[in-house]
Amino acid sequence: MIPTISDVSTVEEWRVVAKDIVTRKGELSYRATIVDWPGLGYSDRPSLNYNADVMENFLVQLLNSPNSPVADADGELVVVGGGHAATIAIRAAGKGLIRPSAVAAVAPTWAGPLPIVFGRGSDMETRYGLLRGTLRAPAIGWMMYNLLVSNEKSIQSQYKSHVYANPENVTPEIVESRYELTKRKGARYVPAAFLTGLLDPVQSREEFLQLFAKLDGDVPVLVVSTLNSPKRSKAEMEALKGAKGVTKFVEVPGALLPQEEYPLAVAEELYDFLQESGR
């Protein structure tokens, strides 16, 4: 299980889902491994030039290394990802770089916060580059990061407006725990890339659909859409309904982080998919 890529991404979002699935009694038993992306969550945060290829390479190395915690999966590895993480996993599988037995894409996305709103015209790309450079710079970078991301009001606002579907589910404890993540050394480097679109695995809906189509008949794919995603993100999820390569499409309560806000609903859909696909 890999977390949704965001400024406050963390393995914590999958813990309840994982616990629900691995503790169920049935003919098959499951083991879950949850890992943070480099530069996010509880991982180290070196000053790399983060982009979608860097993240994809991390996932490929994680799954293929002989020392990996999933090295003994014996062909029964199911990759579960949220947001951009799901799309990066689908892309890697389509290239043949990883060979999962199935993939579950929960609230899958492909466009970063600024590109999905303002587009990718040459003028905007120039502005994104300037913002990215400013966020990565010493001193002024921290000031800008604290203004845009690393403050409790900003985090609370994000969660209430589009990360969670129900603002009442955004507790002070969640906001505080995410705020603490933004204070870790090097915390601003990945958000600088994510906000400005460098972590986007594709550049268009057409490319997004093509990623899934490449797995048609080869790797079972579950898409978990949500009832209350932001309009633009919702449209991209809906485009996957009935699309080539999508084995099963379901909808659950939530917005961009249903695995954390409504973990039992997500766990139920994942478990059913595992049973139906014989995984």
Side-chain angles (χ1 to χ4, degrees), residues 10 12-14 16-17 159 163-164 174 178 257-263 266:
T10 168
E12 299 299 331
E13 71 190 51
W14 283 113
V16 176
V17 175
Y159 266 70
V163 177
Y164 275 23
I174 289 174
R178 302 308 183 262
L257 210 59
Q259 63 268 32
E260 183 173 86
E261 186 178 10
Y262 298 101
V266 172

Side-chain angles (χ1 to χ4, degrees), residues 76-99:
E76 297 181 344
L77 176 67
V78 178
V79 177
V80 180
H84 273 45
T87 310
I88 289 172
I90 292 285
R91 190 177 85 163
K95 292 178 180 178
L97 299 176
I98 60 174
R99 300 187 180 279

Side-chain angles (χ1 to χ4, degrees), residues 98-120:
I98 60 174
R99 300 187 180 279
S101 61
V103 177
V106 179
T109 57
W110 60 266
L114 294 181
I116 200 171
V117 175
F118 300 109
R120 288 187 169 277

Side-chain angles (χ1 to χ4, degrees), residues 79-214:
V79 177
V80 180
H84 273 45
T87 310
I88 289 172
I90 292 285
R91 190 177 85 163
K95 292 178 180 178
L97 299 176
I98 60 174
R99 300 187 180 279
S101 61
V103 177
V106 179
T109 57
W110 60 266
L114 294 181
I116 200 171
V117 175
F118 300 109
R120 288 187 169 277
S122 59
D123 57 333
M124 292 309 304
E125 289 290 1
T126 299
R127 294 180 184 183
Y128 298 156
L130 290 172
L131 174 59
R132 190 161 51 242
T134 301
L135 283 169
R136 291 182 60 90
I140 191 174
W142 270 115
M143 292 172 61
M144 180 70 76
Y145 179 67
N146 288 337
L147 176 67
L148 297 177
V149 177
S150 184
N151 66 81
E152 291 173 309
K153 284 187 177 180
S154 175
I155 293 170
Q156 182 182 64
S157 176
Q158 285 184 47
Y159 266 70
K160 287 188 174 183
S161 67
H162 60 269
V163 177
Y164 275 23
N166 185 351
E168 293 184 2
N169 290 335
V170 182
T171 65
E173 291 76 20
I174 289 174
V175 173
E176 176 62 26
S177 68
R178 302 308 183 262
Y179 172 68
E180 289 176 1
L181 291 174
T182 69
K183 291 302 181 186
R184 294 172 68 88
K185 183 179 179 180
R188 70 189 190 277
Y189 298 128
V190 171
F194 175 63
L195 289 170
T196 56
L198 274 190
L199 300 189
D200 295 354
V202 293
Q203 303 293 306
S204 68
R205 180 184 294 180
E206 181 181 12
E207 292 180 6
F208 184 53
L209 295 176
Q210 287 173 353
L211 293 184
F212 287 80
K214 284 183 180 180

